[in-house]
Amino acid sequence: MERSIDLGTFVPEPDDDMLICRCEEITKGEIRQAVHDGMFTIEEIRRWLRAGMGLCQGQTCGKLVKGIVAKELKMSPWKIEPATSRAPMRPVEMRIMGNEQLEG
Amino acid sequence: MNRYDVIVVGAGPAGLSAAIEAAKLGLKAIVFDENAKPGGQLFKQIHKFFGSKEHKAKVRGFKIGEELLQEASKNGVEVVLNAIVTGLYMDKEVTVKQDDKIVHYKGDTVIIATGASENMVPFEGWTLPGVIGAGAAQTMMNLHRTRPGEKVLMLGSGNVGLVVSYQLLQAGCEVAALVDAAPRVGGYGVHAAKVARCGVPFYLSHTIIKAEGTDCVTGVTIGEVDSSWKIIPGSEKHFDVDTICLAVGLSPMSQLAKMAGCEMEENPLKGGTVPICDEYGETSVKGIFVAGDVSGIEEASSAMIEGRIAGIAAARSLGYIDEEALKEKSKELEAALGSLRQGMFGPGSKGKEIIQTEEGYEISKSLLTKGYIAEDEIFRYPGVTKKTGLHPVIECSQNIPCNPCQDACRKGCIKIGENITSLPVVDQDSECTGCGLCVASCSGQCIFLVEDGIEEGYSAVTMPYEFLPLPRKGDMGAALDRSGTKVCEAEVLEVRVAKAFDHTNLLTIKVPADMTMKARFYVGQEV
Amino acid sequence: MNNCADVVIIGSGIIGNAAAYNLAKKGCSVIVLEKDNSIGHGGSSRNGGGVRQSGRDKRELPIAMWGVKNIWPTLSEELEADCEYYQQGNLRLGKTQEHLKILQNLTNNARECGLDVNMISGEEAREICPYLSEEVIGASWCKTDGHANPLTTTLAFYRKARQMGVRYISGEEVVEIRKIKGKARLVVTKNNVYEGDTILLAAGMESRKIAGTVGIDIPMVPHLMEVLVTEAQPDMFYQMLGTAAADFYGHQSKHGSFVFGGSSGLEGYRKDNGTYTNSSITAACTCRGIMKYFPVLSEAKIVRSWGGVIDMCADGVPVISKVEEVPGLTLACAFTGHGFGIGPAVGVLLSELIRGETLSVDLSAFAYDRFKAKI
């Protein structure tokens, strides 16, 4: 993917301060700005802003972030790859994570 | 390491069905579910299901869940609850959080039946307490017996939005409005009609502009959208509500499959990211299967069949049955699955505007925009007949995969035929005994019994009634028409409660003769 | 678009991006090619974020010290992004006499090179970081060490370079480097051909295969490492942590989450499904390691874990070198899992090397042709 495409100037929108990622408190405007800064993939958005990196790991906002990124890039959200799936599927306390039972 | 022939993740309709089928064929099966209660979403489904009678139609969802659990235990399936599958690793190794440990298991096959999660839609104030998913509202009401609020606005007119709106009404909440940005109702017309005749206004081509309130929801403003989804200035409407329910679709919870390295695709028809699988649900990783919503959003009835197919296919892959048996067993199931996917709500029709039924009847425009069939539209459907004596009126106007009504009538008065999605036809020559079994059998609550001339100038209308407290014979109240408007006074003639009706009680009211084809709901006087 | 540039860089990790930024700053035209769909998708986004001098190989230490002194303190300002650099020291912890011996050795080596690092007692360590368990009996302490956020730092270089006109193409897998009239000049990808006066190969483990297309081999092997991340915790401490026993390493990030790397000891024998697959036992092992030193974290919830591949070099330090026998080709690879902390400095040095400027730090220890048989 060519990263030097012209997305035009960043024009603020009235609902830019709306929260999208509730866990990490990332707004729509921050996500839009990140796209204009060259963050074109969900992985880059996550790494740059932490959107989708909190307790729910993007379960709630994943689709919303995709939609915002797609709109800025003027492409279909279905063409945007979702984030990698990572264990644990639900948050697990360190005490429990370390307490393994391999047999029986 | 703990080893099983098949490890099933998720004890919902798909997962339990898969485990049962696999266990029946001799596989050592274990099912993990992160919830304290098994059954997935089934235990919140207090409504009767659609489908064919071979596949649990007209049975209430939670009953199906109980039946599946019994069947699972009878066949030796281990069901482990409060067990969170945290990962699916190489060699089909599964790690499960149980109590305060992580237990490792290996499966020769793994069936992922993790279901779906609710979509959200952002608008100003969407993070205020009081904005909840429709599924959450259902959990609160039907599992925890707590009303999510007093006054609710529902966003989304798909089956979830419609069914949950009805359940909110049953729980005693007021549903202030049912709103959808789409120009047409997304779910079954019969589900919409149940809600509309209780007086809930439908706002299609509308969306939420903002949720109001500082600490929690105290109101909501909606507005009409144009064809490019922009709010039309001046179309704003305000409602005082304390709860906003979002029923804006589901997304497959396919993360485990992705983690396991299954080839995935982004599929709008399936609702999101899904693993690519063959006709048996096997993914690109040999021995890892998927069934139910995780492989594409559908109904619980299809999930159960998909689960059974995956269970049989797992048995085949481990040599418990041969290829021929697999083909034979899956053939009937695939045919059933095929029939469930027929009709105007099948996956093939997603997003298409359908203007007439398979038989050529025009679809009610009023039903699609207001939630009820208009008076000048009702007589076009083959279940709606004019006759002076006692007879059923079936206000079924869309091709949905459902046929219990045809077997409900012992007099053969109702015919659907071979094609499960066909509209029921009322045979005018058959004698109606007024037993009411057809009324109670209809999961869409769209069958009524009417009888003209019960006394000079009056008719009787019998309707399905699933509200408490039940009215009593002799009560006076008002009859509402399909739009929920009070049209006349009504006297309760009879309330029939029978085991065979399975809690769909039959309420017979007396209305003036010109109201026979209008009165479709009853409210007591104090309301 | 023009597929020619002064420099074509293969790889958009911290090394490629930092080099691109510094070259662009000096007026070079640059094209960066990335095989993955995301920028910095390899080791640069998969490391513990250490900005350490202590514990480094003697040969690498001058670069690390130069970077800590000259680059890191002003990096966030320079890139106009928060790299989350904390210079609050590095504690390398020991629980046994054996551990203390290892730490003493590392400390002696570093001191010889002029690094201010010393051995401290368990009590002194707990004064610096009060959350340490009583099991810790000593540590090495380097107060000028620190850590940063590798995700934002890598992307900050990318953002800045892109703003300065560096052309990035992602999802662009390099197939070969081709020579024209005796000089490496063309970079052939699956879809296109790019041309540069200089080609900088900074593609992590992938570099070995690509260098092979012009007959160069660097002895390096892939080595999986895994990291886990906790939910945000209250502010506790900002030292970079490691242990003599290599049970784990990591730090608390600005966000509050702890980022800890660790291993099960079986990494060398792993298999995968084509992705950076985690093993089913490593995260658990890392947790057990951490809790011995930080029992206070036992209730912290792990929200995710991830794996990445280290380009492990035969002698443990990178190759940062012009390839004399293939004029036009410069290598920056085999960073062996400690490339992030020196990455920003290496970016400056690469720009100097490529432009024939005087080097701020001598790079002769990192020549591509240094690998010799043992006898």
PDB file of all heavy atoms in Angstrom, chain A residues 19 22 59 63-64 66 82-83 85 89-90 99-101 103-104, chain B residues 1-2 34 86 100-102 104 117 120 126 251 258 266 271:
ATOM      1  N   LEU A  19     -15.994   9.651  22.486  1.00  0.00           N
ATOM      2  CA  LEU A  19     -15.167   8.497  22.833  1.00  0.00           C
ATOM      3  C   LEU A  19     -15.511   7.327  21.922  1.00  0.00           C
ATOM      4  O   LEU A  19     -16.683   7.045  21.692  1.00  0.00           O
ATOM      5  CB  LEU A  19     -15.413   8.059  24.272  1.00  0.00           C
ATOM      6  CG  LEU A  19     -14.746   8.835  25.402  1.00  0.00           C
ATOM      7  CD1 LEU A  19     -15.056   8.146  26.729  1.00  0.00           C
ATOM      8  CD2 LEU A  19     -13.246   8.911  25.198  1.00  0.00           C
ATOM      9  N   ARG A  22     -13.585   2.936  24.749  1.00  0.00           N
ATOM     10  CA  ARG A  22     -13.953   3.315  26.123  1.00  0.00           C
ATOM     11  C   ARG A  22     -12.889   2.899  27.118  1.00  0.00           C
ATOM     12  O   ARG A  22     -12.657   3.592  28.104  1.00  0.00           O
ATOM     13  CB  ARG A  22     -15.283   2.656  26.496  1.00  0.00           C
ATOM     14  CG  ARG A  22     -16.373   2.993  25.535  1.00  0.00           C
ATOM     15  CD  ARG A  22     -17.634   2.221  25.834  1.00  0.00           C
ATOM     16  NE  ARG A  22     -18.254   2.690  27.045  1.00  0.00           N
ATOM     17  CZ  ARG A  22     -19.557   2.593  27.290  1.00  0.00           C
ATOM     18  NH1 ARG A  22     -20.354   2.047  26.414  1.00  0.00           N
ATOM     19  NH2 ARG A  22     -20.054   3.027  28.413  1.00  0.00           N
ATOM     20  N   GLN A  59     -12.919  -5.599  21.688  1.00  0.00           N
ATOM     21  CA  GLN A  59     -14.182  -6.319  21.440  1.00  0.00           C
ATOM     22  C   GLN A  59     -15.314  -5.336  21.144  1.00  0.00           C
ATOM     23  O   GLN A  59     -16.156  -5.575  20.294  1.00  0.00           O
ATOM     24  CB  GLN A  59     -14.528  -7.147  22.678  1.00  0.00           C
ATOM     25  CG  GLN A  59     -15.785  -7.985  22.538  1.00  0.00           C
ATOM     26  CD  GLN A  59     -15.497  -9.330  21.916  1.00  0.00           C
ATOM     27  OE1 GLN A  59     -14.620 -10.066  22.369  1.00  0.00           O
ATOM     28  NE2 GLN A  59     -16.199  -9.646  20.864  1.00  0.00           N
ATOM     29  N   LYS A  63     -14.967  -2.752  15.540  1.00  0.00           N
ATOM     30  CA  LYS A  63     -15.694  -2.429  14.306  1.00  0.00           C
ATOM     31  C   LYS A  63     -15.818  -0.917  14.107  1.00  0.00           C
ATOM     32  O   LYS A  63     -15.789  -0.426  12.991  1.00  0.00           O
ATOM     33  CB  LYS A  63     -17.107  -3.042  14.366  1.00  0.00           C
ATOM     34  CG  LYS A  63     -17.268  -4.260  13.479  1.00  0.00           C
ATOM     35  CD  LYS A  63     -18.728  -4.684  13.376  1.00  0.00           C
ATOM     36  CE  LYS A  63     -18.822  -5.934  12.510  1.00  0.00           C
ATOM     37  NZ  LYS A  63     -20.154  -6.546  12.534  1.00  0.00           N
ATOM     38  N   LEU A  64     -15.967  -0.187  15.217  1.00  0.00           N
ATOM     39  CA  LEU A  64     -16.133   1.270  15.123  1.00  0.00           C
ATOM     40  C   LEU A  64     -14.851   1.910  14.597  1.00  0.00           C
ATOM     41  O   LEU A  64     -14.890   2.786  13.736  1.00  0.00           O
ATOM     42  CB  LEU A  64     -16.499   1.855  16.493  1.00  0.00           C
ATOM     43  CG  LEU A  64     -17.721   1.249  17.206  1.00  0.00           C
ATOM     44  CD1 LEU A  64     -17.921   1.911  18.567  1.00  0.00           C
ATOM     45  CD2 LEU A  64     -18.968   1.405  16.355  1.00  0.00           C
ATOM     46  N   LYS A  66     -12.541   0.517  12.823  1.00  0.00           N
ATOM     47  CA  LYS A  66     -12.433   0.134  11.411  1.00  0.00           C
ATOM     48  C   LYS A  66     -13.226   1.091  10.520  1.00  0.00           C
ATOM     49  O   LYS A  66     -12.749   1.538   9.484  1.00  0.00           O
ATOM     50  CB  LYS A  66     -13.036  -1.259  11.238  1.00  0.00           C
ATOM     51  CG  LYS A  66     -12.046  -2.330  10.946  1.00  0.00           C
ATOM     52  CD  LYS A  66     -12.843  -3.609  10.827  1.00  0.00           C
ATOM     53  CE  LYS A  66     -12.160  -4.608   9.982  1.00  0.00           C
ATOM     54  NZ  LYS A  66     -12.987  -5.769   9.746  1.00  0.00           N
ATOM     55  N   PRO A  82      -8.656  -6.858  10.512  1.00  0.00           N
ATOM     56  CA  PRO A  82      -8.809  -6.649  11.957  1.00  0.00           C
ATOM     57  C   PRO A  82      -7.495  -6.929  12.680  1.00  0.00           C
ATOM     58  O   PRO A  82      -6.551  -7.435  12.083  1.00  0.00           O
ATOM     59  CB  PRO A  82      -9.872  -7.674  12.343  1.00  0.00           C
ATOM     60  CG  PRO A  82      -9.782  -8.735  11.307  1.00  0.00           C
ATOM     61  CD  PRO A  82      -9.269  -8.092  10.048  1.00  0.00           C
ATOM     62  N   ALA A  83      -7.487  -6.588  13.965  1.00  0.00           N
ATOM     63  CA  ALA A  83      -6.271  -6.783  14.755  1.00  0.00           C
ATOM     64  C   ALA A  83      -5.996  -8.271  14.961  1.00  0.00           C
ATOM     65  O   ALA A  83      -6.885  -9.111  14.821  1.00  0.00           O
ATOM     66  CB  ALA A  83      -6.431  -6.093  16.106  1.00  0.00           C
ATOM     67  N   SER A  85      -5.434 -11.685  16.951  1.00  0.00           N
ATOM     68  CA  SER A  85      -6.052 -12.243  18.161  1.00  0.00           C
ATOM     69  C   SER A  85      -4.965 -12.737  19.092  1.00  0.00           C
ATOM     70  O   SER A  85      -4.086 -13.469  18.656  1.00  0.00           O
ATOM     71  CB  SER A  85      -6.930 -13.434  17.803  1.00  0.00           C
ATOM     72  OG  SER A  85      -7.971 -13.036  16.982  1.00  0.00           O
ATOM     73  N   MET A  89      -7.825 -14.821  25.999  1.00  0.00           N
ATOM     74  CA  MET A  89      -9.042 -14.291  25.395  1.00  0.00           C
ATOM     75  C   MET A  89      -9.827 -13.402  26.367  1.00  0.00           C
ATOM     76  O   MET A  89     -10.650 -12.603  25.959  1.00  0.00           O
ATOM     77  CB  MET A  89      -9.945 -15.447  24.946  1.00  0.00           C
ATOM     78  CG  MET A  89      -9.362 -16.236  23.794  1.00  0.00           C
ATOM     79  SD  MET A  89      -9.318 -15.277  22.263  1.00  0.00           S
ATOM     80  CE  MET A  89      -7.748 -15.799  21.595  1.00  0.00           C
ATOM     81  N   ARG A  90      -9.623 -13.617  27.652  1.00  0.00           N
ATOM     82  CA  ARG A  90     -10.208 -12.758  28.688  1.00  0.00           C
ATOM     83  C   ARG A  90      -9.080 -12.424  29.657  1.00  0.00           C
ATOM     84  O   ARG A  90      -8.156 -13.233  29.816  1.00  0.00           O
ATOM     85  CB  ARG A  90     -11.318 -13.499  29.446  1.00  0.00           C
ATOM     86  CG  ARG A  90     -12.484 -13.965  28.590  1.00  0.00           C
ATOM     87  CD  ARG A  90     -13.432 -12.815  28.245  1.00  0.00           C
ATOM     88  NE  ARG A  90     -14.582 -13.275  27.496  1.00  0.00           N
ATOM     89  CZ  ARG A  90     -14.660 -13.327  26.162  1.00  0.00           C
ATOM     90  NH1 ARG A  90     -13.636 -12.944  25.416  1.00  0.00           N
ATOM     91  NH2 ARG A  90     -15.745 -13.764  25.554  1.00  0.00           N
ATOM     92  N   ASN A  99      -0.492 -20.362  37.586  1.00  0.00           N
ATOM     93  CA  ASN A  99      -0.884 -21.584  38.306  1.00  0.00           C
ATOM     94  C   ASN A  99      -1.437 -22.607  37.317  1.00  0.00           C
ATOM     95  O   ASN A  99      -2.635 -22.775  37.176  1.00  0.00           O
ATOM     96  CB  ASN A  99      -1.927 -21.215  39.371  1.00  0.00           C
ATOM     97  CG  ASN A  99      -2.290 -22.390  40.259  1.00  0.00           C
ATOM     98  OD1 ASN A  99      -1.556 -23.380  40.319  1.00  0.00           O
ATOM     99  ND2 ASN A  99      -3.420 -22.294  40.922  1.00  0.00           N
ATOM    100  N   GLU A 100      -0.535 -23.279  36.637  1.00  0.00           N
ATOM    101  CA  GLU A 100      -0.956 -24.192  35.578  1.00  0.00           C
ATOM    102  C   GLU A 100      -1.224 -25.587  36.095  1.00  0.00           C
ATOM    103  O   GLU A 100      -0.587 -26.043  37.035  1.00  0.00           O
ATOM    104  CB  GLU A 100       0.174 -24.331  34.555  1.00  0.00           C
ATOM    105  CG  GLU A 100       0.316 -23.188  33.631  1.00  0.00           C
ATOM    106  CD  GLU A 100       1.492 -23.438  32.722  1.00  0.00           C
ATOM    107  OE1 GLU A 100       2.633 -23.469  33.220  1.00  0.00           O
ATOM    108  OE2 GLU A 100       1.268 -23.637  31.532  1.00  0.00           O
ATOM    109  N   GLN A 101      -2.146 -26.257  35.417  1.00  0.00           N
ATOM    110  CA  GLN A 101      -2.352 -27.675  35.693  1.00  0.00           C
ATOM    111  C   GLN A 101      -2.249 -28.386  34.355  1.00  0.00           C
ATOM    112  O   GLN A 101      -3.068 -28.185  33.460  1.00  0.00           O
ATOM    113  CB  GLN A 101      -3.730 -27.885  36.318  1.00  0.00           C
ATOM    114  CG  GLN A 101      -3.987 -29.332  36.692  1.00  0.00           C
ATOM    115  CD  GLN A 101      -5.379 -29.508  37.273  1.00  0.00           C
ATOM    116  OE1 GLN A 101      -5.885 -28.675  38.018  1.00  0.00           O
ATOM    117  NE2 GLN A 101      -6.021 -30.614  36.913  1.00  0.00           N
ATOM    118  N   GLU A 103      -1.793 -31.822  33.965  1.00  0.00           N
ATOM    119  CA  GLU A 103      -2.339 -33.196  33.955  1.00  0.00           C
ATOM    120  C   GLU A 103      -3.620 -33.249  34.767  1.00  0.00           C
ATOM    121  O   GLU A 103      -3.865 -32.402  35.608  1.00  0.00           O
ATOM    122  CB  GLU A 103      -1.328 -34.181  34.582  1.00  0.00           C
ATOM    123  CG  GLU A 103       0.043 -34.184  33.947  1.00  0.00           C
ATOM    124  CD  GLU A 103       0.021 -34.734  32.541  1.00  0.00           C
ATOM    125  OE1 GLU A 103      -0.859 -35.559  32.225  1.00  0.00           O
ATOM    126  OE2 GLU A 103       0.894 -34.340  31.743  1.00  0.00           O
ATOM    127  N   GLY A 104      -4.370 -34.314  34.518  1.00  0.00           N
ATOM    128  CA  GLY A 104      -5.536 -34.677  35.339  1.00  0.00           C
ATOM    129  C   GLY A 104      -6.617 -33.668  35.428  1.00  0.00           C
ATOM    130  O   GLY A 104      -6.752 -32.832  36.196  1.00  0.00           O
TER     131      GLY A 104
ATOM    132  N   MET B   1      -1.255 -35.129  29.227  1.00  0.00           N
ATOM    133  CA  MET B   1      -2.211 -34.014  29.271  1.00  0.00           C
ATOM    134  C   MET B   1      -3.643 -34.544  29.133  1.00  0.00           C
ATOM    135  O   MET B   1      -3.862 -35.559  28.485  1.00  0.00           O
ATOM    136  CB  MET B   1      -1.903 -33.041  28.120  1.00  0.00           C
ATOM    137  CG  MET B   1      -2.605 -31.715  28.281  1.00  0.00           C
ATOM    138  SD  MET B   1      -2.034 -30.509  27.068  1.00  0.00           S
ATOM    139  CE  MET B   1      -0.360 -30.194  27.622  1.00  0.00           C
ATOM    140  N   ASN B   2      -4.585 -33.830  29.742  1.00  0.00           N
ATOM    141  CA  ASN B   2      -6.001 -34.207  29.605  1.00  0.00           C
ATOM    142  C   ASN B   2      -6.349 -34.234  28.122  1.00  0.00           C
ATOM    143  O   ASN B   2      -6.132 -33.255  27.427  1.00  0.00           O
ATOM    144  CB  ASN B   2      -6.896 -33.151  30.248  1.00  0.00           C
ATOM    145  CG  ASN B   2      -6.564 -32.948  31.700  1.00  0.00           C
ATOM    146  OD1 ASN B   2      -6.861 -33.799  32.516  1.00  0.00           O
ATOM    147  ND2 ASN B   2      -5.932 -31.826  32.032  1.00  0.00           N
ATOM    148  N   GLU B  34     -17.798 -20.075  29.464  1.00  0.00           N
ATOM    149  CA  GLU B  34     -17.316 -19.088  30.439  1.00  0.00           C
ATOM    150  C   GLU B  34     -18.417 -18.638  31.397  1.00  0.00           C
ATOM    151  O   GLU B  34     -18.137 -18.043  32.427  1.00  0.00           O
ATOM    152  CB  GLU B  34     -16.710 -17.878  29.732  1.00  0.00           C
ATOM    153  CG  GLU B  34     -17.669 -17.098  28.867  1.00  0.00           C
ATOM    154  CD  GLU B  34     -16.992 -15.892  28.199  1.00  0.00           C
ATOM    155  OE1 GLU B  34     -16.035 -15.353  28.764  1.00  0.00           O
ATOM    156  OE2 GLU B  34     -17.429 -15.507  27.118  1.00  0.00           O
ATOM    157  N   THR B  86      -8.879 -19.635  27.371  1.00  0.00           N
ATOM    158  CA  THR B  86      -8.046 -18.442  27.206  1.00  0.00           C
ATOM    159  C   THR B  86      -7.202 -18.494  25.941  1.00  0.00           C
ATOM    160  O   THR B  86      -6.729 -17.469  25.483  1.00  0.00           O
ATOM    161  CB  THR B  86      -7.115 -18.236  28.416  1.00  0.00           C
ATOM    162  OG1 THR B  86      -6.335 -19.426  28.587  1.00  0.00           O
ATOM    163  CG2 THR B  86      -7.907 -17.968  29.683  1.00  0.00           C
ATOM    164  N   ASP B 100      -8.995 -21.111  40.222  1.00  0.00           N
ATOM    165  CA  ASP B 100      -7.806 -20.264  40.268  1.00  0.00           C
ATOM    166  C   ASP B 100      -6.640 -20.905  39.539  1.00  0.00           C
ATOM    167  O   ASP B 100      -5.497 -20.696  39.869  1.00  0.00           O
ATOM    168  CB  ASP B 100      -7.442 -19.930  41.720  1.00  0.00           C
ATOM    169  CG  ASP B 100      -7.096 -21.178  42.511  1.00  0.00           C
ATOM    170  OD1 ASP B 100      -7.384 -22.282  42.010  1.00  0.00           O
ATOM    171  OD2 ASP B 100      -6.524 -21.055  43.606  1.00  0.00           O
ATOM    172  N   LYS B 101      -6.961 -21.716  38.523  1.00  0.00           N
ATOM    173  CA  LYS B 101      -5.865 -22.276  37.740  1.00  0.00           C
ATOM    174  C   LYS B 101      -6.140 -22.241  36.239  1.00  0.00           C
ATOM    175  O   LYS B 101      -7.260 -21.989  35.808  1.00  0.00           O
ATOM    176  CB  LYS B 101      -5.527 -23.714  38.150  1.00  0.00           C
ATOM    177  CG  LYS B 101      -6.579 -24.498  38.855  1.00  0.00           C
ATOM    178  CD  LYS B 101      -6.112 -25.902  39.142  1.00  0.00           C
ATOM    179  CE  LYS B 101      -7.262 -26.867  38.928  1.00  0.00           C
ATOM    180  NZ  LYS B 101      -8.429 -26.536  39.774  1.00  0.00           N
ATOM    181  N   ILE B 102      -5.071 -22.464  35.505  1.00  0.00           N
ATOM    182  CA  ILE B 102      -5.184 -22.617  34.057  1.00  0.00           C
ATOM    183  C   ILE B 102      -4.925 -24.090  33.761  1.00  0.00           C
ATOM    184  O   ILE B 102      -3.839 -24.601  34.029  1.00  0.00           O
ATOM    185  CB  ILE B 102      -4.132 -21.750  33.316  1.00  0.00           C
ATOM    186  CG1 ILE B 102      -4.371 -20.261  33.574  1.00  0.00           C
ATOM    187  CG2 ILE B 102      -4.126 -22.072  31.823  1.00  0.00           C
ATOM    188  CD1 ILE B 102      -5.502 -19.632  32.811  1.00  0.00           C
ATOM    189  N   HIS B 104      -4.653 -27.274  31.154  1.00  0.00           N
ATOM    190  CA  HIS B 104      -4.349 -27.551  29.747  1.00  0.00           C
ATOM    191  C   HIS B 104      -5.089 -28.805  29.288  1.00  0.00           C
ATOM    192  O   HIS B 104      -5.136 -29.805  30.010  1.00  0.00           O
ATOM    193  CB  HIS B 104      -2.848 -27.776  29.557  1.00  0.00           C
ATOM    194  CG  HIS B 104      -2.025 -26.538  29.793  1.00  0.00           C
ATOM    195  ND1 HIS B 104      -1.315 -25.928  28.787  1.00  0.00           N
ATOM    196  CD2 HIS B 104      -1.825 -25.778  30.902  1.00  0.00           C
ATOM    197  CE1 HIS B 104      -0.693 -24.857  29.262  1.00  0.00           C
ATOM    198  NE2 HIS B 104      -0.979 -24.754  30.559  1.00  0.00           N
ATOM    199  N   SER B 117     -20.812 -11.356  19.598  1.00  0.00           N
ATOM    200  CA  SER B 117     -20.927 -10.261  20.561  1.00  0.00           C
ATOM    201  C   SER B 117     -21.738  -9.137  19.921  1.00  0.00           C
ATOM    202  O   SER B 117     -21.856  -9.061  18.705  1.00  0.00           O
ATOM    203  CB  SER B 117     -19.547  -9.755  20.964  1.00  0.00           C
ATOM    204  OG  SER B 117     -18.892  -9.195  19.847  1.00  0.00           O
ATOM    205  N   MET B 120     -21.892  -2.109  18.685  1.00  0.00           N
ATOM    206  CA  MET B 120     -22.232  -0.838  19.328  1.00  0.00           C
ATOM    207  C   MET B 120     -22.286   0.227  18.241  1.00  0.00           C
ATOM    208  O   MET B 120     -21.738   0.060  17.162  1.00  0.00           O
ATOM    209  CB  MET B 120     -21.151  -0.467  20.348  1.00  0.00           C
ATOM    210  CG  MET B 120     -21.180  -1.324  21.596  1.00  0.00           C
ATOM    211  SD  MET B 120     -22.639  -0.987  22.611  1.00  0.00           S
ATOM    212  CE  MET B 120     -23.303  -2.627  22.812  1.00  0.00           C
ATOM    213  N   TRP B 126     -23.108   8.264  24.158  1.00  0.00           N
ATOM    214  CA  TRP B 126     -23.316   6.806  24.124  1.00  0.00           C
ATOM    215  C   TRP B 126     -22.621   6.066  25.248  1.00  0.00           C
ATOM    216  O   TRP B 126     -22.943   4.916  25.519  1.00  0.00           O
ATOM    217  CB  TRP B 126     -22.910   6.217  22.771  1.00  0.00           C
ATOM    218  CG  TRP B 126     -21.427   6.043  22.562  1.00  0.00           C
ATOM    219  CD1 TRP B 126     -20.508   7.023  22.385  1.00  0.00           C
ATOM    220  CD2 TRP B 126     -20.696   4.797  22.481  1.00  0.00           C
ATOM    221  NE1 TRP B 126     -19.257   6.489  22.215  1.00  0.00           N
ATOM    222  CE2 TRP B 126     -19.334   5.126  22.267  1.00  0.00           C
ATOM    223  CE3 TRP B 126     -21.049   3.455  22.567  1.00  0.00           C
ATOM    224  CZ2 TRP B 126     -18.341   4.162  22.138  1.00  0.00           C
ATOM    225  CZ3 TRP B 126     -20.046   2.487  22.449  1.00  0.00           C
ATOM    226  CH2 TRP B 126     -18.718   2.845  22.237  1.00  0.00           C
ATOM    227  N   SER B 251     -21.543  -9.447  15.975  1.00  0.00           N
ATOM    228  CA  SER B 251     -20.304  -9.795  15.278  1.00  0.00           C
ATOM    229  C   SER B 251     -19.829 -11.154  15.767  1.00  0.00           C
ATOM    230  O   SER B 251     -19.824 -11.411  16.974  1.00  0.00           O
ATOM    231  CB  SER B 251     -19.209  -8.775  15.570  1.00  0.00           C
ATOM    232  OG  SER B 251     -19.534  -7.542  14.991  1.00  0.00           O
ATOM    233  N   LYS B 258      -8.911 -17.424  14.892  1.00  0.00           N
ATOM    234  CA  LYS B 258      -7.825 -16.640  14.308  1.00  0.00           C
ATOM    235  C   LYS B 258      -6.512 -16.948  15.013  1.00  0.00           C
ATOM    236  O   LYS B 258      -5.471 -17.123  14.390  1.00  0.00           O
ATOM    237  CB  LYS B 258      -8.154 -15.152  14.392  1.00  0.00           C
ATOM    238  CG  LYS B 258      -7.198 -14.307  13.598  1.00  0.00           C
ATOM    239  CD  LYS B 258      -7.644 -12.880  13.483  1.00  0.00           C
ATOM    240  CE  LYS B 258      -6.551 -12.116  12.708  1.00  0.00           C
ATOM    241  NZ  LYS B 258      -6.876 -10.729  12.521  1.00  0.00           N
ATOM    242  N   GLU B 266     -13.079 -11.425   5.860  1.00  0.00           N
ATOM    243  CA  GLU B 266     -13.987 -10.365   6.277  1.00  0.00           C
ATOM    244  C   GLU B 266     -15.225 -10.520   5.416  1.00  0.00           C
ATOM    245  O   GLU B 266     -15.174 -10.311   4.211  1.00  0.00           O
ATOM    246  CB  GLU B 266     -13.353  -8.992   6.013  1.00  0.00           C
ATOM    247  CG  GLU B 266     -12.120  -8.698   6.829  1.00  0.00           C
ATOM    248  CD  GLU B 266     -12.410  -8.704   8.299  1.00  0.00           C
ATOM    249  OE1 GLU B 266     -13.166  -7.859   8.768  1.00  0.00           O
ATOM    250  OE2 GLU B 266     -11.875  -9.591   8.995  1.00  0.00           O
ATOM    251  N   GLY B 271     -21.458 -11.050   8.900  1.00  0.00           N
ATOM    252  CA  GLY B 271     -21.451 -10.138  10.045  1.00  0.00           C
ATOM    253  C   GLY B 271     -20.077  -9.772  10.570  1.00  0.00           C
ATOM    254  O   GLY B 271     -19.972  -9.115  11.599  1.00  0.00           O
TER     255      GLY B 271
END
